[in-house]
Amino acid sequence: MQTATITFDQFQSTKDDDCQERILAAREKLGDRLVILGHHYQHESVYRHANFAGDSLKLAKYCDNLDAEYIVFLGVHFMAEVADILSRPDQKVILPDLAAGCSMADMANLAKVERSYRELNKVLNFDEDITPITYINSAADLKAFCGEHGGIVCTSTNAPKILDWAFKQREKVFFFPDQNLGRWTGHKMGIPLEEMPVWDPDLPLGGLTEEEIKKAKVLLWKGHCAVHQMFRAQNIEQFRKEHPNGNVISHPESPFEVCLNSDFVGSTEYILNTVKEAEPGTKWLIGTELNLVTRLAEEMKPENKHVQFMSHVVCECSTMARIDPQHLAWCLENLVEGNVVNQITVPADEATLAKLTLDRMLAAS
Ligand code: 13P
Ligand code: SF4
C-alpha cells in the first residue's frame, strides 16, 4: 500500500550510524525487489551497501541482466541514465540525490554538439567522414546524437577497441567530452598529437583552421574532469625519488603528461585489480579519485602494500559525494512505503537511440 512520500527533512539531522541501521532494515524489508549498484568512487559509508560494484562498463553490463524491481544507483546521473536505458521498462532506477551529476559530462551539451555538427559540415561531410564517440560520462541526449549519426559510446576500459571500431566506419573521429581520454587512447594507437587538435565548441570552426580540420584524425572536445586534472607529472617525479622501485598507476582522465609518466593506465576496475594482484610489499602511487584510493590503501595493509594518493590537495569527486547514508536511507524507506523518489527516466525516443549506441559499444567491447 502506498502512503504519503516521506520528505528528506527529517534525514538531514539523522546521524550516520542511525542511517546505517535504517538502511539495513529497509533492505531487509525490500529483499529481492531491490538491487543496489555502486561505483568505486562512492564513500565507504554507502559503498558497503552495494550488491554489485564496478567501473562504468561493468555497471552498465550488470544493468542488462538484473531481475530486481528497483535499481538504486550509488553513482552519478549519467550512470543512472545508462541503467534506465539498459534495464527492462518495468524496472525503476533511483538516484538517491539528483544533484549527483558529473562536472565533466556537463562540459558538453546537445546544443553545443549540434552546433559543432553544423560547423564541421562547413568543411567536411560529417555523416560520411566522421564517427562521433561519446564517453559514457555524458547525458543520454548526446548518446542519442551518436546513435543518430552512426556513432558509439566508450568507457575508460574499452576506449581503444571503440576507437578502432570507429575508424573502421569512417576516416575521422569526433570525441567528447573528455579530451584526456581521447588523446591518451589515440596516442596509444600511434596517432600523432598534431593530428588530434582540441575542438573548442564555443568558437567558429572549433577554433581551428579548415586545414587543421582536414588534417585531423581525432577532434578532441575541450572538456576534462576537474578531479583528475589536479594530478601532476611532478607528483610522480617526487614519488619515484622517494620510492625508486615503486609503481605508478593512473586513470586515463588524467592529463597526458601524467599518463605518459605512469607505469599503468586504466579504468577504476583495472586500477583495483592491478594493485590487488601485485606482489605483497609493493609500493603504488595512484592517480584517481580519493575514496577509491583510501579504501584500497586500507584493504592492502595486511599485504604490506604501500598505496599513496597522487595529489597533496583533496581530490574527491564532490558530486559522487552527494550520495550519502542520509539520502540512501531516505529513498529506501520511501520504497518500503511504496513511494518511488528520484526516479531517473530517459524519454523513450532518446532512450531508443541511446540504447543503439550502448548496444554497439557492448558488442564491440
Ligand atoms: P570508470 O569507468 O573507470 O570507473 O570511470 C568513471 C569515472 O567517472 C572516472 O572519473
Ligand atoms: Fe565526473 Fe570526474 Fe566525478 Fe568521474 S571523477 S564522475 S569524470 S567529475
Side-chain angles (χ1 to χ4, degrees):
M1 198 185 62
Q2 193 172 351
T3 59
T5 305
I6 307 164
T7 61
F8 182 68
D9 300 356
Q10 58 161 296
F11 286 87
Q12 233 141 16
S13 53
T14 307
K15 296 214 165 59
D16 277 12
D17 284 353
D18 294 337
C19 288
Q20 295 296 343
E21 280 177 26
R22 292 170 74 158
I23 292 166
L24 292 174
R27 290 187 69 188
E28 181 79 26
K29 286 185 188 145
L30 289 161
D32 291 348
R33 296 170 67 205
L34 168 75
V35 72
I36 302 181
L37 299 181
H39 186 264
H40 295 309
Y41 290 166
Q42 289 289 299
H43 190 265
E44 185 52 32
S45 57
V46 288
Y47 187 80
R48 66 173 69 135
H49 296 293
N51 296 98
F52 303 104
D55 64 9
S56 307
L57 183 63
K58 199 168 165 189
L59 291 170
K61 285 180 175 167
Y62 281 130
C63 300
D64 227 1
N65 278 308
L66 295 171
D67 272 336
E69 183 181 345
Y70 304 123
I71 301 170
V72 170
F73 214 109
L74 311 176
V76 288
H77 196 269
F78 75 83
M79 296 178 180
E81 280 189 334
V82 170
D84 180 52
I85 294 164
L86 294 179
S87 58
R88 293 192 317 264
D90 59 301
Q91 293 175 305
K92 294 181 172 60
V93 176
I94 292 138
L95 185 64
D97 186 347
L98 294 179
C102 163
S103 57
M104 177 218 278
D106 293 344
M107 287 187 181
N109 61 39
L110 189 60
K112 287 187 183 194
V113 169
E114 284 183 341
R115 194 197 309 147
S116 302
Y117 175 83
R118 290 191 296 274
E119 287 294 294
L120 281 164
N121 265 326
K122 292 176 184 167
V123 183
L124 303 163
N125 181 332
F126 193 108
D127 290 312
E128 280 180 13
D129 301 330
I130 306 174
T131 308
I133 302 182
T134 187
Y135 187 24
I136 197 163
N137 296 38
S138 58
D141 55 4
L142 297 191
K143 295 182 176 84
F145 171 91
C146 289
E148 216 172 347
H149 296 281
I152 192 162
V153 178
C154 79
T155 72
S156 56
T157 298
N158 61 25
K161 281 188 185 155
I162 299 300
L163 214 60
D164 201 43
W165 179 93
F167 283 125
K168 287 194 178 118
Q169 320 303 313
R170 296 165 191 172
E171 187 199 324
K172 297 177 192 293
V173 160
F174 187 37
F175 192 98
F176 48 88
D178 185 22
Q179 58 172 297
N180 289 321
L181 176 64
R183 186 179 292 109
W184 179 248
T185 312
H187 166 75
K188 292 300 280 179
M189 287 180 85
I191 302 171
L193 291 183
E194 56 279 14
E195 290 179 22
M196 296 191 282
V198 173
W199 175 269
D200 184 339
D202 294 321
L203 296 175
L205 292 185
L208 301 173
T209 62
E210 287 195 17
E211 217 39 56
E212 284 170 322
I213 292 172
K214 282 181 187 155
K215 197 179 148 216
K217 283 290 282 174
V218 183
L219 292 152
L220 298 168
W221 189 268
K222 195 180 174 201
H224 62 267
C225 166
V227 176
H228 290 82
Q229 198 64 14
M230 302 300 285
F231 302 131
R232 297 276 174 273
Q234 291 92 304
N235 301 138
I236 299 178
E237 211 177 298
Q238 182 65 28
F239 174 81
R240 292 206 194 276
K241 266 191 213 146
E242 288 163 17
H243 306 284
N245 296 323
N247 303 286
V248 180
I249 187 163
S250 305
H251 194 279
E253 287 173 16
S254 305
F256 185 69
E257 287 294 306
V258 168
C259 294
L260 207 56
N261 285 288
S262 296
D263 302 303
F264 307 90
V265 178
S267 78
T268 54
E269 187 80 12
Y270 171 83
I271 292 173
L272 289 173
N273 291 340
T274 307
V275 177
K276 283 179 186 174
E277 284 161 18
E279 291 295 314
T282 45
K283 296 182 175 18
W284 293 87
L285 181 71
I286 307 191
T288 198
E289 204 265 354
L290 185 60
N291 281 323
L292 180 154
V293 182
T294 308
R295 189 181 315 115
L296 187 60
E298 206 48 47
E299 264 179 67
M300 293 299 103
K301 273 184 189 163
E303 291 183 42
N304 198 25
K305 287 181 205 167
H306 170 89
V307 172
Q308 187 177 319
F309 184 55
M310 195 175 281
S311 175
H312 299 298
V313 288
V314 180
C315 288
E316 194 191 52
C317 176
S318 58
T319 47
M320 285 266 181
R322 304 292 300 225
I323 311 293
D324 54 18
Q326 285 69 17
H327 284 88
L328 182 55
W330 170 66
C331 74
L332 293 188
E333 287 195 3
N334 266 302
L335 288 181
V336 170
E337 295 302 321
N339 303 314
V340 179
V341 291
N342 288 6
Q343 185 178 352
I344 302 298
T345 314
V346 178
D349 51 342
E350 212 167 280
T352 306
L353 282 168
K355 186 167 184 323
L356 187 72
T357 51
L358 286 163
D359 287 344
R360 276 180 196 148
M361 171 188 85
L362 293 172
S365 60

